[in-house]
Amino acid sequence: MPYDTYRLYQVERAKSPAEIRHADEQAGRLASAASSLVRGITRPWRARRRPVRPRRATCPPNLTSPPVLAPNED
């Protein structure tokens, strides 16, 4: 197909920093749009899935620092 030859040319040619930046911005906008679409579709399902529970502490605050040892008295 003639279009495939042009696509191959576009892939292989060197691109300027402005073209690279523009392509990155387009890819970012596409990813953002897809992400917001998926979040919008799954929002009702996530809300029904389970109630919000408070987070538990992983360890008591007094165990986070190393113990302080008394000096040896000889």
Side-chain angles (χ1 to χ4, degrees):
M1 296 177 78
Y3 183 68
D4 288 337
T5 305
Y6 180 72
R7 283 186 4 194
L8 185 61
Y9 162 74
Q10 286 294 332
V11 168
E12 290 181 346
R13 75 180 182 88
K15 295 184 176 53
S16 70
E19 288 175 314
I20 294 170
R21 189 170 40 253
H22 180 70
D24 288 345
E25 288 172 359
Q26 280 185 324
R29 282 193 293 268
L30 178 64
S32 175
S35 176
S36 65
L37 177 66
V38 169
R39 273 189 272 122
I41 291 171
T42 60
R43 184 173 292 133
W45 178 76
R46 284 183 288 143
R48 260 186 283 130
R49 189 173 59 189
R50 67 180 139 188
V52 177
R53 292 185 286 171
R55 292 186 179 198
R56 294 187 207 169
T58 55
C59 62
N62 59 356
L63 295 180
T64 57
S65 61
V68 178
L69 302 175
N72 290 337
E73 293 181 15
D74 291 329

